[in-house]
Amino acid sequence: MNNTENHIYVIFGASGDLTKRKLVPALYALFVQKMLPEKFVLLGASRSDFSDDEFRSRMREAIIKFKEIDDESQVDQFVKKLFYTSISFDDEAAYQKLSDRIKSLRKEFNINGNTIFYLSTPPSLYGIIPQKLAAVELNKQNDGWKRLIIEKPFGYDLESAIQLKELLLKDWKEEQIYRIDHYLGKETVQNLLVTRFSNGIFEPLWNRNYINHVEITSAESIGVEKRGGYYESSGALRDMVQNHLLQVVGLTAMESPSSLDPIAIRNEILKVFQSLRPIKKEDVKNVAIRGQYLSSKIKGEQVPGYREEEGVKPKSVTETYAALKFYIDNWRWGGVPFYIRTGKRLPTRVTEVVIHFKPTPHFLFSQNDVCQSCNQLVIRIQPDEGILLKFGMKTPGSGFDVQNVNMAFHYSDLSNQRIPSAYERLLHDTMKGDSTLFARTEEVLEAWKFLTPVIECWKNDKDVPLFGYPAGTWGPENADDLIENKKMTWRYPCKNLADDGVYCEL
Ligand code: BG6
């Protein structure tokens, strides 16, 4: 459905990786589906010195590399909408030049002042670019709307996030600012809301009376690749937990919103964040585990450890794995532990939410230990998107032995239903002015506040261990100690790569 108004989309950091891998391919997908407005111009801006044509040809290459293309002539049509201007980000005069370029494109294509500014730059520029844009009045909405899209991380910790918030609000209104968290753009993350609030069978069970614990995993098989420089100042906690994983917690734990209004939904997520039980400084070592991958052999090939990666300090203590146990102190979740973990160089790429239901009150049948956790609802966010319900069934034959079986739905079973990429969905929402799937300042600040004791302890307390784990394994074994019931462990949807290959369930 195309209900977007004509506008100019400016991407700062246009020569970067995100632009080429995600943003431009997503805009191209919108173009192919006729979801861009009739008049649309993409203006790339970054330090590199390209002509419009050079930029077009780089983006053409990227689209062909990162998208399945049926018809290259459509790519040629799309890249005609692309323009480029080089900019030195902290130079005042450069913004006047940018403003002039925008004005001339508006005139050439007969577009009013509607403009989106996407900051796909190093986070250190998130405070600078919006200020400079305001200095040349590119924040003013008298001739059309102006929107500012900011990539994560929003701030480096609570203090810097507050400073950034205040700086932005000097020149921009809250409703002009879209803090992107691409997890919220994932179809399957949004489906958490639908699974919970459109099915009468789940909702009555979705609370402390029936749920034993909740487990959320986001595992990646890749290492930091070429992003060592960025990752060194981030680590798993800031890169994944503060934003993506806590947003998934929010959607899993929130109350039903009164409507699908963005404010109603985001209010409920915020309430979850406000109910997170603060972690005491002295408890950090008991509820948070950090790890760093070590060199090992994966499928016969030696892969480097984190400290050997490009841009990483040889004695780096940055965590590439983080696991946390916490509670949400409210009526629904009182006493239910939440376990979340994320890591790079784990055996596979998988993101999933696992709802572990309480066991039956009395074991009538001979059940093995595994069946203590018989009933699980696994919401697979990626890959192999789908939902799996695990339950006990009588093993055929004499006696009453119970075995665990699966009832599974795979998105791939829906024929002709393509899952749009997260960026496709979110970029389109920014064009429509729909902020439902973007993080509000208060949410971001609550998330930082919650993690502050862990951040500080990991930074200052030399006695808190940083565990090494061989690349291709499920992270430090000590993370199993977080799980309260010692008969249970994390769910391991795939074997370690050190075993004979990878076996994935679902
Ligand atoms: C990004 C992180 O936000 O999310 C990356 O900066 C991480 O380090 C990526 O690899 C994971 O996203 P996805 O969609 O592949 O799960």
Side-chain angles (χ1 to χ4, degrees), residues 96-131:
Q96 192 50 57
K97 197 179 124 213
L98 174 77
S99 168
D100 294 343
R101 184 79 202 269
I102 292 175
K103 280 185 196 143
S104 99
L105 288 167
R106 276 185 203 152
K107 204 160 158 211
E108 186 178 341
F109 293 94
N110 190 18
I111 299 177
N112 71 357
N114 293 345
T115 319
I116 295 177
F117 299 101
Y118 194 118
L119 271 53
S120 170
T121 60
S124 54
L125 292 168
Y126 295 170
I128 296 173
I129 296 175
Q131 248 185 336

Side-chain angles (χ1 to χ4, degrees), residues 388-452:
L388 169 79
L389 182 64
K390 288 166 127 356
F391 60 100
M393 188 205 86
K394 180 179 176 299
T395 306
S398 62
F400 277 97
D401 287 343
V402 180
Q403 75 182 75
N404 222 345
V405 291
N406 294 342
M407 209 154 65
F409 157 71
H410 303 260
Y411 268 73
S412 53
D413 294 343
L414 298 173
S415 56
N416 300 330
Q417 296 269 351
R418 166 183 170 273
I419 302 187
S421 78
Y423 277 97
E424 222 173 293
R425 169 70 200 257
L426 295 175
L427 295 191
H428 194 241
D429 283 358
T430 60
M431 295 178 188
K432 291 191 298 177
D434 181 349
S435 58
T436 313
L437 301 175
F438 294 82
R440 208 161 82 182
T441 327
E442 296 96 313
E443 284 168 47
V444 177
L445 298 185
E446 284 296 337
W448 279 125
K449 192 165 126 195
F450 173 61
L451 293 176
T452 298

Side-chain angles (χ1 to χ4, degrees), residues 94-225:
Y95 289 80
Q96 192 50 57
K97 197 179 124 213
L98 174 77
S99 168
D100 294 343
R101 184 79 202 269
I102 292 175
K103 280 185 196 143
S104 99
L105 288 167
R106 276 185 203 152
K107 204 160 158 211
E108 186 178 341
F109 293 94
N110 190 18
I111 299 177
N112 71 357
N114 293 345
T115 319
I116 295 177
F117 299 101
Y118 194 118
L119 271 53
S120 170
T121 60
S124 54
L125 292 168
Y126 295 170
I128 296 173
I129 296 175
Q131 248 185 336
K132 306 261 187 223
L133 288 173
V136 292
E137 305 205 333
L138 278 170
N139 59 338
K140 295 269 180 309
Q141 309 209 73
N142 44 343
D143 55 353
W145 43 254
K146 306 287 180 304
R147 296 176 187 147
L148 191 64
I149 323 295
I150 302 194
E151 263 295 331
K152 59 146 257 272
F154 189 87
Y156 178 75
D157 51 19
L158 180 59
E159 200 186 324
S160 57
I162 294 174
Q163 277 168 8
L164 180 57
K165 169 196 149 185
E166 286 169 0
L167 195 74
L168 292 175
L169 289 180
K170 276 190 192 154
D171 301 310
W172 299 78
K173 299 201 179 81
E174 172 68 22
E175 58 274 19
Q176 289 180 281
I177 306 171
Y178 293 70
R179 287 167 209 82
I180 211 157
D181 182 318
H182 80 276
Y183 265 53
L184 290 174
K186 289 182 192 280
E187 191 63 33
T188 38
V189 170
Q190 294 153 36
N191 191 44
L192 273 167
L193 280 182
V194 178
T195 304
R196 291 193 51 204
F197 301 124
S198 76
N199 290 297
I201 56 167
F202 295 129
E203 189 47 27
L205 306 182
W206 212 266
N207 57 50
R208 67 185 189 287
N209 296 325
Y210 299 98
I211 293 179
N212 192 67
H213 64 281
V214 177
E215 175 185 344
I216 299 176
T217 294
S218 184
E220 293 185 88
S221 51
I222 53 171
V224 287
E225 305 198 295

Side-chain angles (χ1 to χ4, degrees), residues 2-36:
N2 184 11
N3 44 8
T4 54
E5 293 171 24
N6 297 337
H7 64 274
I8 298 190
Y9 214 112
V10 182
I11 299 182
F12 291 100
S15 58
D17 219 42
L18 185 71
T19 304
K20 118 177 145 199
R21 278 175 187 268
K22 303 282 184 191
L23 305 183
V24 168
L27 289 168
Y28 170 72
L30 294 176
F31 168 75
V32 172
Q33 296 165 82
K34 308 206 176 339
M35 289 168 82
L36 292 182

